[in-house]
Amino acid sequence: ASVAVARRAKSARGLAQTVPLNEPQEGPEVLGWQAVASELWITLTSMSVGIGNGIATFSVPTNPSTRGRSGAIVIAGKAFAVKQKSG
């Protein structure tokens, strides 16, 4: 499955983001995918596994720290950085 992220979390405020997963048009096989968050503060709010096209949705809460933080979401084997400024 191919994955695209429209934007990343950059503010200290919370954010919800949707990631579309599009099945390639080549070949007859249908591919499965899995989404995994690297940090506990990144929450997957939709199904984290699927077959073929789908949507993975995640959210991050307001960052209470005085330091920025970063993590990642790995979807279908591709890592996407999630960076959040300090609160």
Side-chain angles (χ1 to χ4, degrees):
S2 62
V3 183
V5 175
R7 59 191 163 124
R8 295 187 177 117
K10 291 186 179 179
S11 71
R13 294 178 299 179
L15 172 78
Q17 177 68 51
T18 298
V19 181
L21 303 150
N22 301 308
E23 187 65 32
Q25 299 300 316
E26 305 168 10
E29 66 273 352
V30 177
L31 301 176
W33 54 268
Q34 181 175 15
V36 178
S38 69
E39 303 296 329
L40 293 176
W41 54 268
I42 303 171
T43 303
L44 293 166
T45 56
S46 64
M47 291 184 59
S48 60
V49 296
I51 297 175
N53 294 343
I55 294 177
T57 304
F58 69 94
S59 65
V60 295
T62 299
N63 184 358
S65 175
T66 57
R67 300 182 69 171
R69 58 185 178 182
S70 63
I73 297 174
V74 179
I75 305 171
K78 295 183 180 183
F80 294 93
V82 177
K83 297 181 181 182
Q84 192 174 35
K85 293 181 180 179
S86 63

